[in-house]
Short mmCIF file of all heavy atoms in Angstrom, two decimals:
data_model
loop_
_atom_site.label_atom_id
_atom_site.label_comp_id
_atom_site.label_asym_id
_atom_site.label_seq_id
_atom_site.Cartn_x
_atom_site.Cartn_y
_atom_site.Cartn_z
N MET A 153 125.16 94.38 74.67
CA MET A 153 124.39 95.60 74.80
C MET A 153 125.00 96.71 73.95
O MET A 153 124.28 97.49 73.36
CB MET A 153 124.31 96.04 76.26
CG MET A 153 123.51 95.12 77.13
SD MET A 153 123.46 95.70 78.82
CE MET A 153 121.74 96.04 78.96
N LEU A 154 126.31 96.78 73.96
CA LEU A 154 126.97 97.81 73.15
C LEU A 154 126.68 97.59 71.67
O LEU A 154 126.39 98.54 70.94
CB LEU A 154 128.48 97.80 73.41
CG LEU A 154 128.91 98.24 74.81
CD1 LEU A 154 130.40 98.01 74.99
CD2 LEU A 154 128.55 99.69 75.05
N ALA A 155 126.70 96.34 71.23
CA ALA A 155 126.46 96.03 69.82
C ALA A 155 125.02 96.30 69.42
O ALA A 155 124.74 96.62 68.26
CB ALA A 155 126.81 94.56 69.55
N ASN A 156 124.09 96.22 70.37
CA ASN A 156 122.68 96.44 70.08
C ASN A 156 122.25 97.89 70.22
O ASN A 156 121.08 98.21 70.11
CB ASN A 156 121.81 95.57 70.99
CG ASN A 156 121.91 94.11 70.64
OD1 ASN A 156 122.08 93.75 69.48
ND2 ASN A 156 121.83 93.26 71.64
N GLY A 157 123.18 98.78 70.51
CA GLY A 157 122.85 100.20 70.60
C GLY A 157 122.20 100.62 71.90
O GLY A 157 121.54 101.65 71.96
N GLY A 158 122.38 99.86 72.96
CA GLY A 158 121.88 100.27 74.26
C GLY A 158 120.78 99.41 74.79
O GLY A 158 120.19 98.61 74.08
N ARG A 159 120.52 99.56 76.02
CA ARG A 159 119.46 98.88 76.76
C ARG A 159 119.39 99.51 78.14
O ARG A 159 119.93 100.56 78.38
CB ARG A 159 119.72 97.37 76.89
CG ARG A 159 119.71 96.60 75.58
CD ARG A 159 118.27 96.44 75.08
NE ARG A 159 118.23 95.51 73.97
CZ ARG A 159 118.09 95.87 72.70
NH1 ARG A 159 117.99 97.12 72.37
NH2 ARG A 159 118.02 94.96 71.76
N LYS A 160 118.81 98.78 79.08
CA LYS A 160 118.70 99.24 80.46
C LYS A 160 119.25 98.18 81.40
O LYS A 160 119.05 97.00 81.18
CB LYS A 160 117.25 99.54 80.82
CG LYS A 160 116.64 100.66 80.01
CD LYS A 160 115.23 100.94 80.48
CE LYS A 160 114.53 101.95 79.61
NZ LYS A 160 115.13 103.25 79.57
N ILE A 161 119.91 98.64 82.45
CA ILE A 161 120.37 97.78 83.53
C ILE A 161 119.78 98.35 84.81
O ILE A 161 119.88 99.54 85.07
CB ILE A 161 121.91 97.77 83.64
CG1 ILE A 161 122.53 97.21 82.35
CG2 ILE A 161 122.35 96.96 84.86
CD1 ILE A 161 124.05 97.35 82.31
N ILE A 162 119.16 97.48 85.61
CA ILE A 162 118.59 97.89 86.88
C ILE A 162 119.18 96.99 87.96
O ILE A 162 119.12 95.77 87.86
CB ILE A 162 117.05 97.79 86.89
CG1 ILE A 162 116.48 98.68 85.81
CG2 ILE A 162 116.50 98.15 88.27
CD1 ILE A 162 114.99 98.53 85.59
N THR A 163 119.77 97.61 88.97
CA THR A 163 120.30 96.86 90.10
C THR A 163 119.38 97.05 91.29
O THR A 163 118.65 98.02 91.38
CB THR A 163 121.73 97.31 90.45
OG1 THR A 163 121.71 98.69 90.85
CG2 THR A 163 122.68 97.15 89.28
N VAL A 164 119.43 96.09 92.20
CA VAL A 164 118.62 96.16 93.41
C VAL A 164 119.56 96.08 94.61
O VAL A 164 120.36 95.15 94.72
CB VAL A 164 117.59 95.01 93.47
CG1 VAL A 164 116.76 95.09 94.75
CG2 VAL A 164 116.70 95.04 92.24
N GLY A 165 119.47 97.07 95.47
CA GLY A 165 120.28 97.11 96.69
C GLY A 165 119.36 97.27 97.88
O GLY A 165 118.21 96.85 97.85
N ALA A 166 119.87 97.90 98.92
CA ALA A 166 119.08 98.12 100.13
C ALA A 166 119.14 99.59 100.50
O ALA A 166 120.21 100.19 100.55
CB ALA A 166 119.61 97.27 101.28
N TYR A 167 118.00 100.18 100.76
CA TYR A 167 117.92 101.58 101.14
C TYR A 167 118.79 101.87 102.36
O TYR A 167 119.46 102.89 102.44
CB TYR A 167 116.46 101.96 101.40
CG TYR A 167 116.28 103.40 101.76
CD1 TYR A 167 116.19 104.36 100.76
CD2 TYR A 167 116.21 103.82 103.09
CE1 TYR A 167 116.04 105.70 101.08
CE2 TYR A 167 116.05 105.15 103.41
CZ TYR A 167 115.96 106.09 102.40
OH TYR A 167 115.82 107.42 102.72
N SER A 168 118.78 100.95 103.30
CA SER A 168 119.52 101.17 104.56
C SER A 168 121.03 101.19 104.36
O SER A 168 121.75 101.62 105.25
CB SER A 168 119.15 100.08 105.56
OG SER A 168 119.49 98.80 105.06
N ALA A 169 121.53 100.78 103.22
CA ALA A 169 122.98 100.74 102.99
C ALA A 169 123.57 102.11 102.66
O ALA A 169 124.76 102.22 102.40
CB ALA A 169 123.29 99.76 101.86
N GLN A 170 122.76 103.14 102.68
CA GLN A 170 123.28 104.47 102.38
C GLN A 170 124.03 105.08 103.56
O GLN A 170 124.66 106.12 103.42
CB GLN A 170 122.12 105.38 101.95
CG GLN A 170 121.48 104.89 100.66
CD GLN A 170 120.35 105.77 100.23
OE1 GLN A 170 120.56 106.72 99.50
NE2 GLN A 170 119.16 105.46 100.72
N ALA A 171 124.00 104.42 104.70
CA ALA A 171 124.72 104.89 105.89
C ALA A 171 125.12 103.67 106.71
O ALA A 171 124.50 102.60 106.60
CB ALA A 171 123.83 105.81 106.73
N GLY A 172 126.14 103.82 107.52
CA GLY A 172 126.56 102.73 108.39
C GLY A 172 125.52 102.43 109.45
O GLY A 172 124.81 103.33 109.90
N LEU A 173 125.44 101.18 109.82
CA LEU A 173 124.49 100.74 110.85
C LEU A 173 125.21 99.85 111.85
O LEU A 173 126.09 99.07 111.46
CB LEU A 173 123.34 99.94 110.22
CG LEU A 173 122.45 100.66 109.22
CD1 LEU A 173 121.54 99.66 108.52
CD2 LEU A 173 121.63 101.71 109.93
N PRO A 174 124.85 99.93 113.12
CA PRO A 174 125.49 99.03 114.09
C PRO A 174 125.14 97.58 113.80
O PRO A 174 124.02 97.27 113.37
CB PRO A 174 124.90 99.49 115.44
CG PRO A 174 123.65 100.21 115.11
CD PRO A 174 123.84 100.79 113.73
N ASN A 175 126.09 96.71 113.99
CA ASN A 175 125.92 95.27 113.82
C ASN A 175 125.52 94.86 112.41
O ASN A 175 124.91 93.82 112.21
CB ASN A 175 124.88 94.72 114.82
CG ASN A 175 125.23 95.05 116.24
OD1 ASN A 175 126.36 94.85 116.67
ND2 ASN A 175 124.28 95.60 116.98
N ALA A 176 125.84 95.69 111.42
CA ALA A 176 125.46 95.38 110.04
C ALA A 176 126.57 95.68 109.05
O ALA A 176 126.30 95.93 107.88
CB ALA A 176 124.19 96.16 109.68
N GLY A 177 127.81 95.68 109.51
CA GLY A 177 128.93 96.05 108.65
C GLY A 177 129.00 95.30 107.33
O GLY A 177 129.03 95.93 106.26
N PRO A 178 129.01 93.96 107.32
CA PRO A 178 129.08 93.24 106.04
C PRO A 178 127.86 93.50 105.14
O PRO A 178 128.00 93.65 103.93
CB PRO A 178 129.15 91.77 106.46
CG PRO A 178 129.74 91.81 107.83
CD PRO A 178 129.18 93.07 108.46
N TYR A 179 126.69 93.59 105.74
CA TYR A 179 125.47 93.86 104.98
C TYR A 179 125.54 95.23 104.31
O TYR A 179 125.28 95.38 103.11
CB TYR A 179 124.26 93.78 105.92
CG TYR A 179 122.94 94.12 105.27
CD1 TYR A 179 122.25 93.18 104.53
CD2 TYR A 179 122.37 95.39 105.42
CE1 TYR A 179 121.03 93.47 103.95
CE2 TYR A 179 121.15 95.70 104.84
CZ TYR A 179 120.49 94.74 104.10
OH TYR A 179 119.29 95.05 103.52
N VAL A 180 125.92 96.24 105.08
CA VAL A 180 126.02 97.60 104.55
C VAL A 180 127.12 97.68 103.50
O VAL A 180 126.94 98.29 102.44
CB VAL A 180 126.24 98.62 105.68
CG1 VAL A 180 126.58 99.99 105.13
CG2 VAL A 180 125.01 98.70 106.57
N ALA A 181 128.24 97.03 103.75
CA ALA A 181 129.35 97.06 102.79
C ALA A 181 128.95 96.43 101.46
O ALA A 181 129.22 96.98 100.39
CB ALA A 181 130.56 96.34 103.37
N ALA A 182 128.29 95.29 101.51
CA ALA A 182 127.88 94.61 100.28
C ALA A 182 126.87 95.45 99.49
O ALA A 182 126.99 95.61 98.27
CB ALA A 182 127.29 93.25 100.60
N ASN A 183 125.90 96.00 100.18
CA ASN A 183 124.88 96.79 99.49
C ASN A 183 125.40 98.15 99.05
O ASN A 183 124.98 98.68 98.02
CB ASN A 183 123.64 96.94 100.37
CG ASN A 183 122.79 95.70 100.30
OD1 ASN A 183 122.04 95.50 99.35
ND2 ASN A 183 122.91 94.82 101.28
N SER A 184 126.34 98.72 99.78
CA SER A 184 126.98 99.96 99.34
C SER A 184 127.75 99.73 98.05
O SER A 184 127.81 100.61 97.19
CB SER A 184 127.92 100.49 100.43
OG SER A 184 127.20 100.89 101.56
N SER A 185 128.32 98.56 97.92
CA SER A 185 129.04 98.23 96.69
C SER A 185 128.09 98.23 95.48
O SER A 185 128.46 98.69 94.40
CB SER A 185 129.71 96.86 96.81
OG SER A 185 130.68 96.87 97.82
N VAL A 186 126.89 97.75 95.68
CA VAL A 186 125.89 97.77 94.60
C VAL A 186 125.59 99.21 94.19
O VAL A 186 125.52 99.54 93.00
CB VAL A 186 124.59 97.04 95.01
CG1 VAL A 186 123.49 97.24 93.98
CG2 VAL A 186 124.86 95.56 95.23
N ILE A 187 125.44 100.08 95.17
CA ILE A 187 125.15 101.49 94.90
C ILE A 187 126.28 102.13 94.10
O ILE A 187 126.06 102.77 93.08
CB ILE A 187 124.90 102.26 96.22
CG1 ILE A 187 123.61 101.76 96.88
CG2 ILE A 187 124.85 103.76 95.97
CD1 ILE A 187 123.41 102.26 98.30
N ARG A 188 127.52 101.96 94.56
CA ARG A 188 128.68 102.59 93.88
C ARG A 188 128.91 101.96 92.51
O ARG A 188 129.23 102.67 91.56
CB ARG A 188 129.94 102.45 94.73
CG ARG A 188 129.86 103.12 96.12
CD ARG A 188 129.84 104.66 96.10
NE ARG A 188 128.57 105.29 95.94
CZ ARG A 188 127.70 105.55 96.92
NH1 ARG A 188 127.95 105.22 98.15
NH2 ARG A 188 126.57 106.16 96.66
N LEU A 189 128.74 100.65 92.38
CA LEU A 189 128.90 99.99 91.09
C LEU A 189 127.87 100.53 90.09
O LEU A 189 128.20 100.81 88.93
CB LEU A 189 128.76 98.48 91.23
CG LEU A 189 128.82 97.68 89.92
CD1 LEU A 189 130.18 97.86 89.24
CD2 LEU A 189 128.55 96.21 90.19
N THR A 190 126.65 100.71 90.53
CA THR A 190 125.61 101.24 89.66
C THR A 190 125.95 102.65 89.20
O THR A 190 125.81 102.97 88.01
CB THR A 190 124.24 101.24 90.38
OG1 THR A 190 123.97 99.92 90.84
CG2 THR A 190 123.13 101.72 89.47
N GLU A 191 126.44 103.49 90.10
CA GLU A 191 126.83 104.84 89.72
C GLU A 191 127.98 104.83 88.71
O GLU A 191 127.96 105.59 87.73
CB GLU A 191 127.25 105.63 90.96
CG GLU A 191 126.10 105.95 91.88
CD GLU A 191 126.53 106.52 93.21
OE1 GLU A 191 127.73 106.51 93.54
OE2 GLU A 191 125.64 107.00 93.93
N SER A 192 128.94 103.96 88.93
CA SER A 192 130.08 103.87 88.01
C SER A 192 129.66 103.36 86.64
O SER A 192 130.07 103.90 85.61
CB SER A 192 131.16 102.94 88.59
OG SER A 192 131.68 103.48 89.78
N MET A 193 128.82 102.33 86.62
CA MET A 193 128.34 101.80 85.34
C MET A 193 127.52 102.85 84.60
O MET A 193 127.63 102.98 83.38
CB MET A 193 127.51 100.54 85.58
CG MET A 193 128.32 99.35 86.01
SD MET A 193 127.34 97.91 86.56
CE MET A 193 126.14 97.72 85.28
N SER A 194 126.71 103.61 85.31
CA SER A 194 125.91 104.65 84.69
C SER A 194 126.79 105.69 84.02
O SER A 194 126.56 106.07 82.87
CB SER A 194 125.01 105.31 85.74
OG SER A 194 124.27 106.36 85.16
N ALA A 195 127.82 106.14 84.74
CA ALA A 195 128.73 107.14 84.18
C ALA A 195 129.49 106.61 82.98
O ALA A 195 129.72 107.32 81.99
CB ALA A 195 129.71 107.60 85.26
N GLU A 196 129.85 105.35 83.02
CA GLU A 196 130.63 104.74 81.94
C GLU A 196 129.80 104.42 80.70
O GLU A 196 130.27 104.57 79.57
CB GLU A 196 131.26 103.45 82.47
CG GLU A 196 132.11 102.70 81.48
CD GLU A 196 132.72 101.45 82.07
OE1 GLU A 196 132.85 101.35 83.31
OE2 GLU A 196 133.06 100.56 81.29
N LEU A 197 128.56 104.01 80.90
CA LEU A 197 127.78 103.46 79.79
C LEU A 197 126.76 104.41 79.18
O LEU A 197 126.23 104.13 78.11
CB LEU A 197 127.08 102.18 80.25
CG LEU A 197 128.03 101.06 80.69
CD1 LEU A 197 127.25 99.92 81.32
CD2 LEU A 197 128.86 100.58 79.50
N ARG A 198 126.49 105.54 79.82
CA ARG A 198 125.44 106.42 79.29
C ARG A 198 125.77 106.92 77.88
O ARG A 198 124.87 107.08 77.06
CB ARG A 198 125.15 107.56 80.23
CG ARG A 198 126.19 108.67 80.29
CD ARG A 198 125.73 109.85 81.15
NE ARG A 198 125.37 109.40 82.47
CZ ARG A 198 125.93 109.82 83.59
NH1 ARG A 198 126.87 110.72 83.57
NH2 ARG A 198 125.55 109.34 84.74
N ALA A 199 127.03 107.14 77.57
CA ALA A 199 127.43 107.59 76.23
C ALA A 199 127.16 106.54 75.17
O ALA A 199 127.11 106.84 73.98
CB ALA A 199 128.90 107.98 76.23
N HIS A 200 126.95 105.30 75.60
CA HIS A 200 126.67 104.19 74.67
C HIS A 200 125.19 103.86 74.61
O HIS A 200 124.80 102.82 74.05
CB HIS A 200 127.47 102.95 75.09
CG HIS A 200 128.94 103.16 75.12
ND1 HIS A 200 129.71 103.24 73.98
CD2 HIS A 200 129.78 103.37 76.16
CE1 HIS A 200 130.97 103.45 74.31
NE2 HIS A 200 131.04 103.55 75.63
N GLY A 201 124.34 104.69 75.21
CA GLY A 201 122.90 104.47 75.17
C GLY A 201 122.41 103.44 76.16
O GLY A 201 121.30 102.95 76.04
N ILE A 202 123.24 103.10 77.14
CA ILE A 202 122.83 102.13 78.16
C ILE A 202 122.48 102.91 79.43
O ILE A 202 123.32 103.62 79.98
CB ILE A 202 123.93 101.09 78.43
CG1 ILE A 202 124.22 100.31 77.14
CG2 ILE A 202 123.51 100.15 79.56
CD1 ILE A 202 125.39 99.36 77.24
N ASN A 203 121.24 102.77 79.85
CA ASN A 203 120.72 103.47 81.02
C ASN A 203 120.86 102.53 82.23
O ASN A 203 120.33 101.43 82.21
CB ASN A 203 119.26 103.84 80.76
CG ASN A 203 118.65 104.64 81.87
OD1 ASN A 203 119.26 104.88 82.90
ND2 ASN A 203 117.42 105.05 81.66
N VAL A 204 121.58 102.97 83.26
CA VAL A 204 121.79 102.15 84.45
C VAL A 204 121.17 102.86 85.65
O VAL A 204 121.49 104.01 85.94
CB VAL A 204 123.30 101.90 84.71
CG1 VAL A 204 123.49 100.95 85.88
CG2 VAL A 204 123.98 101.35 83.46
N ASN A 205 120.26 102.17 86.34
CA ASN A 205 119.58 102.72 87.50
C ASN A 205 119.56 101.70 88.62
O ASN A 205 119.79 100.51 88.40
CB ASN A 205 118.13 103.11 87.17
CG ASN A 205 118.06 104.32 86.29
OD1 ASN A 205 118.45 105.40 86.69
ND2 ASN A 205 117.59 104.14 85.07
N ARG A 206 119.25 102.17 89.82
CA ARG A 206 119.15 101.28 90.96
C ARG A 206 117.80 101.44 91.64
O ARG A 206 117.20 102.50 91.60
CB ARG A 206 120.28 101.52 91.95
CG ARG A 206 120.18 102.86 92.64
CD ARG A 206 121.32 103.06 93.63
NE ARG A 206 121.22 104.36 94.24
CZ ARG A 206 122.10 105.33 94.10
NH1 ARG A 206 123.17 105.16 93.38
NH2 ARG A 206 121.93 106.48 94.70
N VAL A 207 117.37 100.36 92.26
CA VAL A 207 116.18 100.35 93.10
C VAL A 207 116.66 100.02 94.50
O VAL A 207 117.40 99.06 94.70
CB VAL A 207 115.17 99.30 92.60
CG1 VAL A 207 113.97 99.22 93.53
CG2 VAL A 207 114.74 99.60 91.18
N LEU A 208 116.26 100.85 95.47
CA LEU A 208 116.67 100.64 96.86
C LEU A 208 115.43 100.55 97.74
O LEU A 208 115.03 101.53 98.37
CB LEU A 208 117.57 101.79 97.34
CG LEU A 208 118.87 102.00 96.57
CD1 LEU A 208 119.60 103.23 97.08
CD2 LEU A 208 119.75 100.77 96.67
N PRO A 209 114.79 99.38 97.79
CA PRO A 209 113.61 99.27 98.64
C PRO A 209 113.99 99.32 100.12
O PRO A 209 115.12 99.04 100.51
CB PRO A 209 113.04 97.89 98.28
CG PRO A 209 114.21 97.12 97.77
CD PRO A 209 115.13 98.13 97.13
N GLY A 210 113.01 99.69 100.90
CA GLY A 210 113.18 99.64 102.35
C GLY A 210 113.06 98.20 102.82
O GLY A 210 113.15 97.25 102.03
N THR A 211 112.80 98.01 104.08
CA THR A 211 112.67 96.67 104.64
C THR A 211 111.44 95.98 104.06
O THR A 211 110.34 96.54 104.05
CB THR A 211 112.56 96.73 106.17
OG1 THR A 211 113.70 97.42 106.67
CG2 THR A 211 112.50 95.35 106.79
N ILE A 212 111.63 94.76 103.58
CA ILE A 212 110.52 93.97 103.05
C ILE A 212 109.86 93.27 104.25
O ILE A 212 110.53 92.65 105.07
CB ILE A 212 111.02 92.92 102.03
CG1 ILE A 212 111.88 93.57 100.94
CG2 ILE A 212 109.83 92.16 101.43
CD1 ILE A 212 111.17 94.52 100.02
N ASP A 213 108.55 93.37 104.33
CA ASP A 213 107.80 92.80 105.45
C ASP A 213 107.65 91.29 105.25
O ASP A 213 106.73 90.82 104.59
CB ASP A 213 106.44 93.47 105.56
CG ASP A 213 105.71 93.09 106.84
OD1 ASP A 213 106.26 92.30 107.63
OD2 ASP A 213 104.59 93.60 107.04
N THR A 214 108.59 90.56 105.80
CA THR A 214 108.56 89.10 105.74
C THR A 214 108.59 88.55 107.17
O THR A 214 109.00 89.25 108.09
CB THR A 214 109.78 88.54 104.98
OG1 THR A 214 110.97 88.89 105.70
CG2 THR A 214 109.84 89.10 103.55
N PRO A 215 108.21 87.31 107.35
CA PRO A 215 108.32 86.71 108.69
C PRO A 215 109.77 86.74 109.20
O PRO A 215 110.00 86.97 110.39
CB PRO A 215 107.84 85.27 108.49
CG PRO A 215 106.92 85.35 107.31
CD PRO A 215 107.52 86.41 106.41
N GLU A 216 110.72 86.54 108.32
CA GLU A 216 112.13 86.56 108.71
C GLU A 216 112.53 87.95 109.21
O GLU A 216 113.24 88.08 110.22
CB GLU A 216 113.03 86.14 107.55
CG GLU A 216 112.87 84.69 107.14
CD GLU A 216 111.68 84.45 106.21
OE1 GLU A 216 111.00 85.42 105.78
OE2 GLU A 216 111.41 83.28 105.92
N ALA A 217 112.11 89.01 108.51
CA ALA A 217 112.43 90.37 108.93
C ALA A 217 111.79 90.69 110.28
O ALA A 217 112.41 91.30 111.14
CB ALA A 217 111.98 91.38 107.87
N ARG A 218 110.56 90.26 110.46
CA ARG A 218 109.88 90.53 111.73
C ARG A 218 110.58 89.83 112.90
O ARG A 218 110.72 90.40 113.98
CB ARG A 218 108.41 90.11 111.66
CG ARG A 218 107.58 91.08 110.84
CD ARG A 218 106.13 90.63 110.76
NE ARG A 218 105.37 91.57 109.95
CZ ARG A 218 104.37 92.30 110.42
NH1 ARG A 218 103.99 92.21 111.68
NH2 ARG A 218 103.72 93.12 109.62
N SER A 219 111.04 88.61 112.68
CA SER A 219 111.71 87.90 113.78
C SER A 219 113.13 88.44 114.01
O SER A 219 113.62 88.42 115.13
CB SER A 219 111.73 86.39 113.56
OG SER A 219 112.44 86.06 112.40
N ALA A 220 113.76 88.97 112.98
CA ALA A 220 115.11 89.53 113.12
C ALA A 220 115.09 90.90 113.79
O ALA A 220 116.09 91.31 114.38
CB ALA A 220 115.79 89.63 111.76
N MET A 221 113.96 91.61 113.69
CA MET A 221 113.84 92.96 114.26
C MET A 221 112.58 93.07 115.11
O MET A 221 111.65 93.81 114.77
CB MET A 221 113.82 93.99 113.12
CG MET A 221 115.10 93.99 112.31
SD MET A 221 115.04 95.13 110.92
CE MET A 221 114.35 94.06 109.64
N PRO A 222 112.53 92.34 116.23
CA PRO A 222 111.28 92.27 117.00
C PRO A 222 110.82 93.59 117.61
O PRO A 222 109.63 93.78 117.81
CB PRO A 222 111.60 91.25 118.10
CG PRO A 222 113.08 91.26 118.22
CD PRO A 222 113.60 91.58 116.85
N GLY A 223 111.71 94.53 117.87
CA GLY A 223 111.30 95.79 118.48
C GLY A 223 110.96 96.89 117.49
O GLY A 223 110.73 98.03 117.87
N THR A 224 110.91 96.55 116.22
CA THR A 224 110.69 97.54 115.17
C THR A 224 109.23 97.54 114.74
O THR A 224 108.60 96.48 114.64
CB THR A 224 111.58 97.23 113.96
OG1 THR A 224 112.93 97.13 114.40
CG2 THR A 224 111.49 98.30 112.90
N ASP A 225 108.68 98.71 114.42
CA ASP A 225 107.32 98.82 113.92
C ASP A 225 107.31 98.59 112.41
O ASP A 225 107.85 99.39 111.65
CB ASP A 225 106.77 100.22 114.23
CG ASP A 225 105.36 100.42 113.71
OD1 ASP A 225 104.70 99.43 113.31
OD2 ASP A 225 104.91 101.58 113.71
N PRO A 226 106.71 97.51 111.94
CA PRO A 226 106.73 97.20 110.51
C PRO A 226 105.68 97.96 109.68
O PRO A 226 105.52 97.69 108.49
CB PRO A 226 106.43 95.70 110.48
CG PRO A 226 105.60 95.47 111.70
CD PRO A 226 106.12 96.45 112.73
N ALA A 227 105.03 98.95 110.26
CA ALA A 227 103.96 99.67 109.55
C ALA A 227 104.46 100.34 108.26
O ALA A 227 103.70 100.48 107.31
CB ALA A 227 103.32 100.71 110.47
N ARG A 228 105.73 100.74 108.22
CA ARG A 228 106.25 101.43 107.03
C ARG A 228 107.09 100.52 106.13
O ARG A 228 107.70 100.96 105.18
CB ARG A 228 107.08 102.64 107.46
CG ARG A 228 106.22 103.67 108.20
CD ARG A 228 106.98 104.90 108.52
NE ARG A 228 107.48 105.49 107.28
CZ ARG A 228 108.24 106.56 107.22
NH1 ARG A 228 108.60 107.17 108.30
NH2 ARG A 228 108.65 107.02 106.06
N TRP A 229 107.12 99.25 106.42
CA TRP A 229 107.88 98.30 105.62
C TRP A 229 107.17 98.06 104.29
O TRP A 229 105.97 98.26 104.14
CB TRP A 229 108.06 97.00 106.34
CG TRP A 229 108.97 97.10 107.55
CD1 TRP A 229 109.60 98.21 108.03
CD2 TRP A 229 109.30 96.06 108.44
NE1 TRP A 229 110.32 97.91 109.14
CE2 TRP A 229 110.17 96.58 109.43
CE3 TRP A 229 108.98 94.70 108.51
CZ2 TRP A 229 110.70 95.82 110.46
CZ3 TRP A 229 109.51 93.94 109.54
CH2 TRP A 229 110.35 94.49 110.49
N VAL A 230 107.91 97.58 103.33
CA VAL A 230 107.38 97.32 101.99
C VAL A 230 106.74 95.93 101.97
O VAL A 230 107.34 94.96 102.41
CB VAL A 230 108.52 97.38 100.94
CG1 VAL A 230 108.00 97.06 99.56
CG2 VAL A 230 109.20 98.74 100.98
N ALA A 231 105.52 95.88 101.46
CA ALA A 231 104.83 94.58 101.32
C ALA A 231 105.53 93.75 100.25
O ALA A 231 105.94 94.30 99.21
CB ALA A 231 103.37 94.79 100.95
N PRO A 232 105.70 92.45 100.44
CA PRO A 232 106.39 91.64 99.45
C PRO A 232 105.78 91.71 98.05
O PRO A 232 106.50 91.73 97.06
CB PRO A 232 106.26 90.21 100.01
CG PRO A 232 106.07 90.39 101.47
CD PRO A 232 105.31 91.69 101.61
N GLN A 233 104.48 91.84 97.94
CA GLN A 233 103.85 91.90 96.63
C GLN A 233 104.12 93.22 95.91
O GLN A 233 103.99 93.32 94.70
CB GLN A 233 102.34 91.62 96.71
CG GLN A 233 101.55 92.58 97.57
CD GLN A 233 101.47 92.14 99.02
OE1 GLN A 233 102.32 91.40 99.53
NE2 GLN A 233 100.45 92.59 99.71
N ALA A 234 104.53 94.25 96.65
CA ALA A 234 104.84 95.55 96.02
C ALA A 234 106.15 95.44 95.27
O ALA A 234 106.41 96.17 94.35
CB ALA A 234 104.92 96.64 97.08
#
């Protein structure tokens, strides 16, 4: 990328990883790492024409998510096709 004069890097994390959650320590820690890594890469690479951004979707509405969170209202969850 440096030799080609820049490009774009997009990482995907989890919106919920922006704060600690009960019973989700490893999940939050892993996704928080994606957030901080993206910020560090952005600061390091912007001078080289490499744009680094992150996408943090909310909960994806899947059968697995619904069964893992039975008491949650999925009305605001992200559709998989989105």
Side-chain angles (χ1 to χ4, degrees):
M153 292 181 115
L154 293 172
N156 290 327
R159 295 286 190 256
K160 297 183 185 299
I161 298 172
I162 300 172
T163 62
V164 179
Y167 182 83
S168 60
Q170 296 180 90
L173 298 170
N175 304 312
Y179 176 82
V180 170
N183 280 280
S184 293
S185 297
V186 171
I187 293 169
R188 299 290 86 84
L189 176 62
T190 305
E191 291 171 349
S192 296
M193 289 170 48
S194 177
E196 180 179 338
L197 298 171
R198 75 174 55 121
H200 301 285
I202 299 173
N203 184 356
V204 185
N205 289 295
R206 67 180 179 244
V207 176
L208 300 176
T211 303
I212 308 294
D213 190 0
T214 63
E216 293 82 5
R218 286 179 181 244
S219 62
M221 297 177 271
T224 306
D225 179 12
R228 297 185 59 184
W229 291 1
V230 177
Q233 60 271 25

